[in-house]
Amino acid sequence: DAGVIQSPRHEVTEMGQEVTLRCKPISGHDYLFWYRQTMMRGLELLIYFNNNVPIDDSGMPEDRFSAKMPNASFSTLKIQPSEPRDSAVYFCASSSGRRLPYNEQFFGPGTRLTVL
Amino acid sequence: ELKVEQNPLFLSMQEGKNYTIYCNYSTTSDRLYWYRQDPGKSLESLFVLLSNGAVKQEGRLMASLDTKARLSTLHITAAVHDLSATYFCAVDIGGNKLVFGAGTILRVKS
């Protein structure tokens, strides 16, 4: 299996620009998670989906952030407009809710976002 | 509010020494995960602990779970440089949702 795939791996943009991060979960996994990691705040869960439906978006910091999962093999996290404080590493992870009793999350390589 | 506290947050140790990282959490859960993250890399799953008293071992690392005490430990035996990384515990709070600790940065000096 190819694992969780994220693109781009690095993104440098200017304040005010739109940024779109992409994720392909592991085939057969029905949960998808978006995390943000910074030195100050550690690893934060932003939003997660089950069967393409958003379940909990309470971690999404502001209306500038939005996430979609149009099908089981693709998700996007969009920031519009971007701000310097959005600079972080964004991870996508997936898991199988069918492999009970545990729900081990598998992480992608991350996207390092820098907003100038 | 759920709290997942790891200590220490930073650990510098000599090769060959033993040490334990602690993970305390404030809610009821019988599932806990340990992850490793190398600098600039992603998180890699190390251990899945599914019930009270669970113990898992892989090489020089051993993880255990005490759900009654709401405590998990990651024990390092005879540390080697290759173990240098950041270690996270994550508590399963239901709905496939994990809450991560702040991480323990481990540096093994030769």
Side-chain angles (χ1 to χ4, degrees), chain A residues 31 33 35 37 43 45 48 56 58 91 95-97 100-110 112, chain B residues 31 33 35 37 40-48 50 88 92 94-98 100-102 105:
Chain A
Y31 282 84
F33 306 82
Y35 291 90
Q37 186 177 40
L43 194 63
L45 176 64
Y48 77 100
D56 184 351
S58 59
F91 288 105
S95 70
S96 172
L100 294 172
Y102 60 89
N103 301 296
E104 186 178 8
Q105 292 184 17
F106 296 86
F107 282 74
R112 182 172 296 276
Chain B
R31 287 184 235 162
Y33 306 77
Y35 286 84
Q37 185 178 35
K41 303 293 185 182
S42 186
L43 281 79
E44 174 190 357
S45 178
L46 286 175
F47 297 111
V48 178
L50 301 177
F88 293 91
D92 188 331
N96 283 59
K97 190 172 177 178
L98 302 184
F100 284 78
I105 299 172

mmCIF file of all heavy atoms in Angstrom, chain A residues 31 33 35 37 43 45 48 56 58 91 95-97 100-110 112, chain B residues 31 33 35 37 40-48 50 88 92 94-98 100-102 105:
data_model
loop_
_atom_site.group_PDB
_atom_site.id
_atom_site.type_symbol
_atom_site.label_atom_id
_atom_site.label_comp_id
_atom_site.label_asym_id
_atom_site.label_seq_id
_atom_site.Cartn_x
_atom_site.Cartn_y
_atom_site.Cartn_z
ATOM 1 N N TYR A 31 -12.055 6.738 7.687
ATOM 2 C CA TYR A 31 -11.878 7.956 8.478
ATOM 3 C C TYR A 31 -10.699 8.741 7.925
ATOM 4 O O TYR A 31 -9.650 8.150 7.614
ATOM 5 C CB TYR A 31 -11.618 7.627 9.947
ATOM 6 C CG TYR A 31 -12.847 7.246 10.725
ATOM 7 C CD1 TYR A 31 -13.319 5.935 10.707
ATOM 8 C CD2 TYR A 31 -13.542 8.192 11.474
ATOM 9 C CE1 TYR A 31 -14.449 5.578 11.418
ATOM 10 C CE2 TYR A 31 -14.679 7.841 12.192
ATOM 11 C CZ TYR A 31 -15.119 6.534 12.160
ATOM 12 O OH TYR A 31 -16.240 6.183 12.867
ATOM 13 N N PHE A 33 -8.471 12.441 8.759
ATOM 14 C CA PHE A 33 -8.223 13.486 9.752
ATOM 15 C C PHE A 33 -7.256 14.514 9.181
ATOM 16 O O PHE A 33 -6.302 14.156 8.502
ATOM 17 C CB PHE A 33 -7.587 12.876 11.010
ATOM 18 C CG PHE A 33 -8.365 11.737 11.612
ATOM 19 C CD1 PHE A 33 -8.244 10.449 11.101
ATOM 20 C CD2 PHE A 33 -9.203 11.951 12.693
ATOM 21 C CE1 PHE A 33 -8.954 9.392 11.649
ATOM 22 C CE2 PHE A 33 -9.911 10.895 13.257
ATOM 23 C CZ PHE A 33 -9.793 9.618 12.735
ATOM 24 N N TYR A 35 -4.687 17.437 10.658
ATOM 25 C CA TYR A 35 -4.019 17.975 11.842
ATOM 26 C C TYR A 35 -3.102 19.124 11.420
ATOM 27 O O TYR A 35 -2.632 19.191 10.295
ATOM 28 C CB TYR A 35 -3.139 16.911 12.515
ATOM 29 C CG TYR A 35 -3.857 15.782 13.189
ATOM 30 C CD1 TYR A 35 -4.175 14.616 12.485
ATOM 31 C CD2 TYR A 35 -4.179 15.852 14.541
ATOM 32 C CE1 TYR A 35 -4.809 13.552 13.116
ATOM 33 C CE2 TYR A 35 -4.817 14.788 15.174
ATOM 34 C CZ TYR A 35 -5.122 13.649 14.451
ATOM 35 O OH TYR A 35 -5.752 12.599 15.084
ATOM 36 N N GLN A 37 0.460 21.041 13.001
ATOM 37 C CA GLN A 37 1.511 20.937 14.017
ATOM 38 C C GLN A 37 2.373 22.192 14.002
ATOM 39 O O GLN A 37 2.917 22.580 12.974
ATOM 40 C CB GLN A 37 2.391 19.702 13.783
ATOM 41 C CG GLN A 37 3.401 19.477 14.896
ATOM 42 C CD GLN A 37 4.220 18.217 14.698
ATOM 43 O OE1 GLN A 37 4.623 17.875 13.595
ATOM 44 N NE2 GLN A 37 4.433 17.481 15.786
ATOM 45 N N LEU A 43 0.374 19.325 18.255
ATOM 46 C CA LEU A 43 -0.435 18.683 17.218
ATOM 47 C C LEU A 43 -1.909 18.916 17.529
ATOM 48 O O LEU A 43 -2.402 18.486 18.568
ATOM 49 C CB LEU A 43 -0.112 17.193 17.203
ATOM 50 C CG LEU A 43 -0.572 16.362 16.012
ATOM 51 C CD1 LEU A 43 0.118 16.848 14.739
ATOM 52 C CD2 LEU A 43 -0.240 14.902 16.253
ATOM 53 N N LEU A 45 -5.954 18.650 16.174
ATOM 54 C CA LEU A 45 -6.918 18.096 15.226
ATOM 55 C C LEU A 45 -7.794 19.231 14.706
ATOM 56 O O LEU A 45 -8.423 19.943 15.487
ATOM 57 C CB LEU A 45 -7.783 17.038 15.902
ATOM 58 C CG LEU A 45 -8.909 16.441 15.061
ATOM 59 C CD1 LEU A 45 -8.347 15.676 13.867
ATOM 60 C CD2 LEU A 45 -9.788 15.527 15.906
ATOM 61 N N TYR A 48 -12.329 16.068 11.102
ATOM 62 C CA TYR A 48 -12.234 14.722 10.591
ATOM 63 C C TYR A 48 -13.537 14.274 9.936
ATOM 64 O O TYR A 48 -14.605 14.809 10.240
ATOM 65 C CB TYR A 48 -11.736 13.731 11.638
ATOM 66 C CG TYR A 48 -12.694 13.267 12.698
ATOM 67 C CD1 TYR A 48 -13.343 12.042 12.603
ATOM 68 C CD2 TYR A 48 -12.887 14.020 13.853
ATOM 69 C CE1 TYR A 48 -14.174 11.585 13.610
ATOM 70 C CE2 TYR A 48 -13.716 13.577 14.861
ATOM 71 C CZ TYR A 48 -14.346 12.351 14.747
ATOM 72 O OH TYR A 48 -15.169 11.894 15.750
ATOM 73 N N ASP A 56 -16.567 16.257 12.891
ATOM 74 C CA ASP A 56 -16.209 17.208 13.934
ATOM 75 C C ASP A 56 -15.247 18.238 13.350
ATOM 76 O O ASP A 56 -14.125 17.889 12.997
ATOM 77 C CB ASP A 56 -15.569 16.472 15.112
ATOM 78 C CG ASP A 56 -15.245 17.401 16.284
ATOM 79 O OD1 ASP A 56 -15.350 18.635 16.142
ATOM 80 O OD2 ASP A 56 -14.867 16.885 17.356
ATOM 81 N N SER A 58 -14.692 21.174 15.039
ATOM 82 C CA SER A 58 -14.517 22.126 16.131
ATOM 83 C C SER A 58 -13.089 22.656 16.248
ATOM 84 O O SER A 58 -12.851 23.674 16.873
ATOM 85 C CB SER A 58 -14.939 21.505 17.460
ATOM 86 O OG SER A 58 -14.180 20.349 17.739
ATOM 87 N N PHE A 91 -0.801 17.820 8.591
ATOM 88 C CA PHE A 91 -0.801 16.377 8.365
ATOM 89 C C PHE A 91 -2.213 15.892 8.071
ATOM 90 O O PHE A 91 -3.186 16.346 8.668
ATOM 91 C CB PHE A 91 -0.293 15.622 9.601
ATOM 92 C CG PHE A 91 1.177 15.746 9.849
ATOM 93 C CD1 PHE A 91 1.656 16.560 10.869
ATOM 94 C CD2 PHE A 91 2.084 15.031 9.081
ATOM 95 C CE1 PHE A 91 3.019 16.673 11.110
ATOM 96 C CE2 PHE A 91 3.441 15.136 9.314
ATOM 97 C CZ PHE A 91 3.914 15.963 10.331
ATOM 98 N N SER A 95 -7.733 6.210 8.982
ATOM 99 C CA SER A 95 -7.861 5.003 9.784
ATOM 100 C C SER A 95 -9.092 4.228 9.319
ATOM 101 O O SER A 95 -9.931 4.742 8.587
ATOM 102 C CB SER A 95 -7.990 5.341 11.275
ATOM 103 O OG SER A 95 -9.233 5.951 11.558
ATOM 104 N N SER A 96 -9.138 2.994 9.776
ATOM 105 C CA SER A 96 -10.280 2.150 9.440
ATOM 106 C C SER A 96 -11.138 1.956 10.674
ATOM 107 O O SER A 96 -10.674 1.415 11.674
ATOM 108 C CB SER A 96 -9.808 0.792 8.925
ATOM 109 O OG SER A 96 -10.917 -0.070 8.774
ATOM 110 N N GLY A 97 -12.364 2.392 10.598
ATOM 111 C CA GLY A 97 -13.290 2.179 11.698
ATOM 112 C C GLY A 97 -13.837 0.769 11.721
ATOM 113 O O GLY A 97 -14.519 0.377 12.663
ATOM 114 N N LEU A 100 -12.082 -2.859 14.226
ATOM 115 C CA LEU A 100 -12.255 -2.781 15.668
ATOM 116 C C LEU A 100 -11.534 -3.951 16.329
ATOM 117 O O LEU A 100 -11.345 -5.000 15.722
ATOM 118 C CB LEU A 100 -13.735 -2.781 15.992
ATOM 119 C CG LEU A 100 -14.510 -1.536 15.504
ATOM 120 C CD1 LEU A 100 -15.992 -1.729 15.698
ATOM 121 C CD2 LEU A 100 -14.008 -0.299 16.196
ATOM 122 N N PRO A 101 -11.059 -3.794 17.536
ATOM 123 C CA PRO A 101 -11.466 -2.724 18.441
ATOM 124 C C PRO A 101 -10.529 -1.524 18.451
ATOM 125 O O PRO A 101 -10.646 -0.677 19.311
ATOM 126 C CB PRO A 101 -11.426 -3.427 19.793
ATOM 127 C CG PRO A 101 -10.292 -4.388 19.661
ATOM 128 C CD PRO A 101 -10.317 -4.850 18.240
ATOM 129 N N TYR A 102 -9.593 -1.423 17.533
ATOM 130 C CA TYR A 102 -8.732 -0.252 17.589
ATOM 131 C C TYR A 102 -8.793 0.521 16.294
ATOM 132 O O TYR A 102 -9.230 -0.007 15.271
ATOM 133 C CB TYR A 102 -7.302 -0.636 17.918
ATOM 134 C CG TYR A 102 -6.646 -1.579 16.931
ATOM 135 C CD1 TYR A 102 -5.970 -1.108 15.826
ATOM 136 C CD2 TYR A 102 -6.672 -2.951 17.159
ATOM 137 C CE1 TYR A 102 -5.351 -1.971 14.950
ATOM 138 C CE2 TYR A 102 -6.046 -3.819 16.288
ATOM 139 C CZ TYR A 102 -5.388 -3.327 15.187
ATOM 140 O OH TYR A 102 -4.779 -4.191 14.333
ATOM 141 N N ASN A 103 -8.368 1.755 16.333
ATOM 142 C CA ASN A 103 -8.514 2.668 15.201
ATOM 143 C C ASN A 103 -7.215 3.415 14.997
ATOM 144 O O ASN A 103 -7.153 4.625 15.109
ATOM 145 C CB ASN A 103 -9.665 3.631 15.459
ATOM 146 C CG ASN A 103 -10.968 2.887 15.668
ATOM 147 O OD1 ASN A 103 -11.475 2.221 14.785
ATOM 148 N ND2 ASN A 103 -11.509 3.002 16.865
ATOM 149 N N GLU A 104 -6.214 2.649 14.680
ATOM 150 C CA GLU A 104 -4.885 3.194 14.513
ATOM 151 C C GLU A 104 -4.868 4.178 13.339
ATOM 152 O O GLU A 104 -5.329 3.857 12.241
ATOM 153 C CB GLU A 104 -3.911 2.053 14.253
ATOM 154 C CG GLU A 104 -2.460 2.434 14.200
ATOM 155 C CD GLU A 104 -1.593 1.205 13.975
ATOM 156 O OE1 GLU A 104 -2.160 0.123 13.726
ATOM 157 O OE2 GLU A 104 -0.367 1.324 14.034
ATOM 158 N N GLN A 105 -4.340 5.357 13.583
ATOM 159 C CA GLN A 105 -4.256 6.365 12.542
ATOM 160 C C GLN A 105 -2.900 6.299 11.855
ATOM 161 O O GLN A 105 -1.868 6.229 12.520
ATOM 162 C CB GLN A 105 -4.500 7.757 13.125
ATOM 163 C CG GLN A 105 -5.925 7.961 13.603
ATOM 164 C CD GLN A 105 -6.200 9.367 14.084
ATOM 165 O OE1 GLN A 105 -5.453 10.303 13.800
ATOM 166 N NE2 GLN A 105 -7.287 9.542 14.824
ATOM 167 N N PHE A 106 -2.922 6.389 10.541
ATOM 168 C CA PHE A 106 -1.713 6.375 9.728
ATOM 169 C C PHE A 106 -1.555 7.762 9.114
ATOM 170 O O PHE A 106 -2.466 8.277 8.465
ATOM 171 C CB PHE A 106 -1.811 5.306 8.635
ATOM 172 C CG PHE A 106 -1.883 3.914 9.187
ATOM 173 C CD1 PHE A 106 -3.098 3.365 9.566
ATOM 174 C CD2 PHE A 106 -0.737 3.158 9.340
ATOM 175 C CE1 PHE A 106 -3.175 2.091 10.093
ATOM 176 C CE2 PHE A 106 -0.795 1.867 9.861
ATOM 177 C CZ PHE A 106 -2.017 1.338 10.239
ATOM 178 N N PHE A 107 -0.388 8.326 9.326
ATOM 179 C CA PHE A 107 -0.157 9.713 8.931
ATOM 180 C C PHE A 107 0.538 9.811 7.573
ATOM 181 O O PHE A 107 1.400 8.992 7.240
ATOM 182 C CB PHE A 107 0.704 10.414 9.981
ATOM 183 C CG PHE A 107 -0.064 10.827 11.209
ATOM 184 C CD1 PHE A 107 -0.460 9.888 12.141
ATOM 185 C CD2 PHE A 107 -0.404 12.161 11.420
ATOM 186 C CE1 PHE A 107 -1.187 10.256 13.267
ATOM 187 C CE2 PHE A 107 -1.118 12.545 12.535
ATOM 188 C CZ PHE A 107 -1.513 11.587 13.464
ATOM 189 N N GLY A 108 0.167 10.869 6.853
ATOM 190 C CA GLY A 108 0.887 11.205 5.634
ATOM 191 C C GLY A 108 2.168 11.945 5.950
ATOM 192 O O GLY A 108 2.443 12.246 7.111
ATOM 193 N N PRO A 109 2.958 12.279 4.926
ATOM 194 C CA PRO A 109 4.256 12.931 5.134
ATOM 195 C C PRO A 109 4.143 14.385 5.556
ATOM 196 O O PRO A 109 5.115 14.965 6.029
ATOM 197 C CB PRO A 109 4.926 12.818 3.764
ATOM 198 C CG PRO A 109 3.790 12.729 2.805
ATOM 199 C CD PRO A 109 2.709 11.974 3.518
ATOM 200 N N GLY A 110 2.976 14.973 5.403
ATOM 201 C CA GLY A 110 2.776 16.356 5.809
ATOM 202 C C GLY A 110 3.050 17.355 4.701
ATOM 203 O O GLY A 110 3.774 17.080 3.743
ATOM 204 N N ARG A 112 4.447 21.253 4.542
ATOM 205 C CA ARG A 112 5.018 22.369 5.296
ATOM 206 C C ARG A 112 4.598 23.662 4.617
ATOM 207 O O ARG A 112 5.024 23.946 3.499
ATOM 208 C CB ARG A 112 6.535 22.260 5.364
ATOM 209 C CG ARG A 112 7.178 23.376 6.196
ATOM 210 C CD ARG A 112 8.663 23.116 6.399
ATOM 211 N NE ARG A 112 8.915 21.902 7.164
ATOM 212 C CZ ARG A 112 8.906 21.832 8.493
ATOM 213 N NH1 ARG A 112 8.669 22.915 9.201
ATOM 214 N NH2 ARG A 112 9.166 20.688 9.096
ATOM 215 N N ARG B 31 -7.980 2.673 25.348
ATOM 216 C CA ARG B 31 -7.127 2.516 24.174
ATOM 217 C C ARG B 31 -6.133 3.671 24.124
ATOM 218 O O ARG B 31 -6.524 4.840 24.227
ATOM 219 C CB ARG B 31 -7.935 2.515 22.886
ATOM 220 C CG ARG B 31 -8.723 1.266 22.656
ATOM 221 C CD ARG B 31 -9.398 1.359 21.307
ATOM 222 N NE ARG B 31 -10.818 1.153 21.445
ATOM 223 C CZ ARG B 31 -11.711 1.498 20.542
ATOM 224 N NH1 ARG B 31 -11.331 2.102 19.442
ATOM 225 N NH2 ARG B 31 -12.993 1.254 20.715
ATOM 226 N N TYR B 33 -2.259 4.966 22.203
ATOM 227 C CA TYR B 33 -1.313 4.741 21.117
ATOM 228 C C TYR B 33 -0.029 5.520 21.406
ATOM 229 O O TYR B 33 -0.072 6.605 21.992
ATOM 230 C CB TYR B 33 -1.888 5.248 19.784
ATOM 231 C CG TYR B 33 -3.253 4.681 19.456
ATOM 232 C CD1 TYR B 33 -4.386 5.173 20.088
ATOM 233 C CD2 TYR B 33 -3.407 3.658 18.528
ATOM 234 C CE1 TYR B 33 -5.649 4.656 19.813
ATOM 235 C CE2 TYR B 33 -4.659 3.144 18.236
ATOM 236 C CZ TYR B 33 -5.779 3.651 18.886
ATOM 237 O OH TYR B 33 -7.011 3.135 18.597
ATOM 238 N N TYR B 35 3.343 7.045 19.309
ATOM 239 C CA TYR B 35 3.880 7.376 17.997
ATOM 240 C C TYR B 35 5.293 7.921 18.157
ATOM 241 O O TYR B 35 5.636 8.522 19.186
ATOM 242 C CB TYR B 35 3.033 8.438 17.298
ATOM 243 C CG TYR B 35 1.709 7.960 16.771
ATOM 244 C CD1 TYR B 35 0.597 7.890 17.602
ATOM 245 C CD2 TYR B 35 1.562 7.590 15.438
ATOM 246 C CE1 TYR B 35 -0.625 7.459 17.119
ATOM 247 C CE2 TYR B 35 0.338 7.159 14.938
ATOM 248 C CZ TYR B 35 -0.750 7.098 15.786
ATOM 249 O OH TYR B 35 -1.956 6.664 15.298
ATOM 250 N N GLN B 37 8.137 10.432 16.068
ATOM 251 C CA GLN B 37 8.340 11.392 14.989
ATOM 252 C C GLN B 37 9.812 11.790 14.939
ATOM 253 O O GLN B 37 10.352 12.339 15.905
ATOM 254 C CB GLN B 37 7.467 12.638 15.181
ATOM 255 C CG GLN B 37 7.562 13.612 14.006
ATOM 256 C CD GLN B 37 6.656 14.828 14.180
ATOM 257 O OE1 GLN B 37 6.457 15.310 15.296
ATOM 258 N NE2 GLN B 37 6.114 15.326 13.082
ATOM 259 N N GLY B 40 11.488 16.631 11.150
ATOM 260 C CA GLY B 40 11.094 16.903 9.774
ATOM 261 C C GLY B 40 10.308 15.793 9.105
ATOM 262 O O GLY B 40 10.046 15.862 7.899
ATOM 263 N N LYS B 41 9.942 14.802 9.883
ATOM 264 C CA LYS B 41 9.237 13.647 9.310
ATOM 265 C C LYS B 41 7.821 13.542 9.861
ATOM 266 O O LYS B 41 7.385 14.349 10.687
ATOM 267 C CB LYS B 41 9.999 12.353 9.627
ATOM 268 C CG LYS B 41 11.427 12.336 9.143
ATOM 269 C CD LYS B 41 11.511 12.328 7.637
ATOM 270 C CE LYS B 41 12.951 12.179 7.171
ATOM 271 N NZ LYS B 41 13.050 12.209 5.687
ATOM 272 N N SER B 42 7.132 12.502 9.396
ATOM 273 C CA SER B 42 5.765 12.290 9.842
ATOM 274 C C SER B 42 5.729 11.459 11.122
ATOM 275 O O SER B 42 6.772 11.096 11.670
ATOM 276 C CB SER B 42 4.983 11.569 8.741
ATOM 277 O OG SER B 42 3.623 11.481 9.084
ATOM 278 N N LEU B 43 4.540 11.176 11.597
ATOM 279 C CA LEU B 43 4.365 10.349 12.790
ATOM 280 C C LEU B 43 4.228 8.893 12.373
ATOM 281 O O LEU B 43 3.461 8.559 11.460
ATOM 282 C CB LEU B 43 3.128 10.780 13.577
ATOM 283 C CG LEU B 43 3.270 12.013 14.453
ATOM 284 C CD1 LEU B 43 3.188 13.287 13.647
ATOM 285 C CD2 LEU B 43 2.222 11.996 15.557
ATOM 286 N N GLU B 44 4.946 8.055 13.103
ATOM 287 C CA GLU B 44 4.939 6.617 12.831
ATOM 288 C C GLU B 44 4.378 5.898 14.045
ATOM 289 O O GLU B 44 4.797 6.150 15.178
ATOM 290 C CB GLU B 44 6.366 6.150 12.560
ATOM 291 C CG GLU B 44 6.522 4.654 12.409
ATOM 292 C CD GLU B 44 7.988 4.253 12.386
ATOM 293 O OE1 GLU B 44 8.855 5.135 12.437
ATOM 294 O OE2 GLU B 44 8.249 3.037 12.342
ATOM 295 N N SER B 45 3.427 5.018 13.824
ATOM 296 C CA SER B 45 2.826 4.285 14.929
ATOM 297 C C SER B 45 3.823 3.281 15.510
ATOM 298 O O SER B 45 4.469 2.535 14.773
ATOM 299 C CB SER B 45 1.581 3.549 14.436
ATOM 300 O OG SER B 45 1.005 2.806 15.481
ATOM 301 N N LEU B 46 3.928 3.294 16.844
ATOM 302 C CA LEU B 46 4.822 2.361 17.535
ATOM 303 C C LEU B 46 4.039 1.242 18.215
ATOM 304 O O LEU B 46 4.332 0.066 18.034
ATOM 305 C CB LEU B 46 5.632 3.094 18.599
ATOM 306 C CG LEU B 46 6.767 3.997 18.150
ATOM 307 C CD1 LEU B 46 7.353 4.712 19.362
ATOM 308 C CD2 LEU B 46 7.826 3.211 17.415
ATOM 309 N N PHE B 47 3.093 1.646 19.058
ATOM 310 C CA PHE B 47 2.357 0.676 19.846
ATOM 311 C C PHE B 47 0.878 1.023 19.895
ATOM 312 O O PHE B 47 0.518 2.204 19.944
ATOM 313 C CB PHE B 47 2.875 0.633 21.289
ATOM 314 C CG PHE B 47 4.302 0.199 21.422
ATOM 315 C CD1 PHE B 47 5.274 1.116 21.822
ATOM 316 C CD2 PHE B 47 4.680 -1.108 21.166
ATOM 317 C CE1 PHE B 47 6.594 0.727 21.954
ATOM 318 C CE2 PHE B 47 6.001 -1.501 21.299
ATOM 319 C CZ PHE B 47 6.961 -0.586 21.682
ATOM 320 N N VAL B 48 0.058 -0.022 19.941
ATOM 321 C CA VAL B 48 -1.370 0.119 20.168
ATOM 322 C C VAL B 48 -1.700 -0.672 21.423
ATOM 323 O O VAL B 48 -1.472 -1.879 21.474
ATOM 324 C CB VAL B 48 -2.184 -0.434 18.973
ATOM 325 C CG1 VAL B 48 -3.673 -0.321 19.256
ATOM 326 C CG2 VAL B 48 -1.820 0.304 17.693
ATOM 327 N N LEU B 50 -4.601 -1.802 23.982
ATOM 328 C CA LEU B 50 -6.051 -1.917 23.835
ATOM 329 C C LEU B 50 -6.817 -2.133 25.135
ATOM 330 O O LEU B 50 -8.048 -2.070 25.133
ATOM 331 C CB LEU B 50 -6.378 -3.067 22.882
ATOM 332 C CG LEU B 50 -5.799 -2.927 21.483
ATOM 333 C CD1 LEU B 50 -6.126 -4.152 20.664
ATOM 334 C CD2 LEU B 50 -6.336 -1.661 20.828
ATOM 335 N N PHE B 88 5.138 10.605 21.056
ATOM 336 C CA PHE B 88 3.820 11.099 21.434
ATOM 337 C C PHE B 88 2.959 9.954 21.932
ATOM 338 O O PHE B 88 2.956 8.867 21.339
ATOM 339 C CB PHE B 88 3.097 11.710 20.227
ATOM 340 C CG PHE B 88 3.704 12.960 19.676
ATOM 341 C CD1 PHE B 88 4.658 12.907 18.671
ATOM 342 C CD2 PHE B 88 3.309 14.201 20.149
ATOM 343 C CE1 PHE B 88 5.215 14.059 18.138
ATOM 344 C CE2 PHE B 88 3.858 15.365 19.625
ATOM 345 C CZ PHE B 88 4.809 15.295 18.631
ATOM 346 N N ASP B 92 -7.414 7.501 22.858
ATOM 347 C CA ASP B 92 -8.631 7.313 22.059
ATOM 348 C C ASP B 92 -9.835 7.713 22.919
ATOM 349 O O ASP B 92 -10.123 7.074 23.921
ATOM 350 C CB ASP B 92 -8.717 5.846 21.636
ATOM 351 C CG ASP B 92 -9.827 5.583 20.638
ATOM 352 O OD1 ASP B 92 -10.839 6.305 20.654
ATOM 353 O OD2 ASP B 92 -9.675 4.641 19.845
ATOM 354 N N GLY B 94 -12.953 7.995 21.715
ATOM 355 C CA GLY B 94 -14.194 7.557 21.088
ATOM 356 C C GLY B 94 -14.428 8.241 19.757
ATOM 357 O O GLY B 94 -13.867 9.294 19.493
ATOM 358 N N GLY B 95 -15.252 7.632 18.946
ATOM 359 C CA GLY B 95 -15.531 8.199 17.630
ATOM 360 C C GLY B 95 -14.309 8.270 16.750
ATOM 361 O O GLY B 95 -14.216 9.130 15.878
ATOM 362 N N ASN B 96 -13.375 7.365 16.996
ATOM 363 C CA ASN B 96 -12.126 7.314 16.229
ATOM 364 C C ASN B 96 -11.270 8.561 16.416
ATOM 365 O O ASN B 96 -10.369 8.823 15.615
ATOM 366 C CB ASN B 96 -12.395 7.102 14.742
ATOM 367 C CG ASN B 96 -12.737 5.668 14.430
ATOM 368 O OD1 ASN B 96 -13.702 5.147 14.960
ATOM 369 N ND2 ASN B 96 -11.945 5.029 13.618
ATOM 370 N N LYS B 97 -11.541 9.319 17.450
ATOM 371 C CA LYS B 97 -10.816 10.556 17.670
ATOM 372 C C LYS B 97 -9.702 10.342 18.692
ATOM 373 O O LYS B 97 -9.920 9.729 19.747
ATOM 374 C CB LYS B 97 -11.788 11.621 18.181
ATOM 375 C CG LYS B 97 -11.246 13.022 18.223
ATOM 376 C CD LYS B 97 -12.389 13.988 18.568
ATOM 377 C CE LYS B 97 -11.888 15.414 18.701
ATOM 378 N NZ LYS B 97 -12.993 16.346 18.991
ATOM 379 N N LEU B 98 -8.502 10.821 18.368
ATOM 380 C CA LEU B 98 -7.364 10.732 19.276
ATOM 381 C C LEU B 98 -6.997 12.118 19.784
ATOM 382 O O LEU B 98 -7.040 13.082 19.027
ATOM 383 C CB LEU B 98 -6.146 10.125 18.573
ATOM 384 C CG LEU B 98 -6.285 8.739 17.960
ATOM 385 C CD1 LEU B 98 -4.934 8.283 17.403
ATOM 386 C CD2 LEU B 98 -6.819 7.748 18.969
ATOM 387 N N PHE B 100 -3.717 13.949 21.391
ATOM 388 C CA PHE B 100 -2.280 13.736 21.524
ATOM 389 C C PHE B 100 -1.701 14.522 22.692
ATOM 390 O O PHE B 100 -2.126 15.640 22.989
ATOM 391 C CB PHE B 100 -1.567 14.161 20.245
ATOM 392 C CG PHE B 100 -1.714 13.177 19.116
ATOM 393 C CD1 PHE B 100 -2.884 13.116 18.376
ATOM 394 C CD2 PHE B 100 -0.677 12.302 18.811
ATOM 395 C CE1 PHE B 100 -3.029 12.206 17.340
ATOM 396 C CE2 PHE B 100 -0.815 11.385 17.774
ATOM 397 C CZ PHE B 100 -1.998 11.338 17.047
ATOM 398 N N GLY B 101 -0.689 13.926 23.320
ATOM 399 C CA GLY B 101 0.109 14.667 24.272
ATOM 400 C C GLY B 101 1.045 15.621 23.545
ATOM 401 O O GLY B 101 1.115 15.625 22.316
ATOM 402 N N ALA B 102 1.759 16.405 24.319
ATOM 403 C CA ALA B 102 2.636 17.429 23.747
ATOM 404 C C ALA B 102 3.896 16.852 23.136
ATOM 405 O O ALA B 102 4.588 17.525 22.370
ATOM 406 C CB ALA B 102 3.008 18.448 24.822
ATOM 407 N N ILE B 105 10.677 14.992 23.668
ATOM 408 C CA ILE B 105 11.851 15.010 22.794
ATOM 409 C C ILE B 105 12.953 14.218 23.484
ATOM 410 O O ILE B 105 13.396 14.577 24.580
ATOM 411 C CB ILE B 105 12.319 16.453 22.536
ATOM 412 C CG1 ILE B 105 11.199 17.255 21.849
ATOM 413 C CG2 ILE B 105 13.579 16.449 21.667
ATOM 414 C CD1 ILE B 105 11.519 18.737 21.725
#
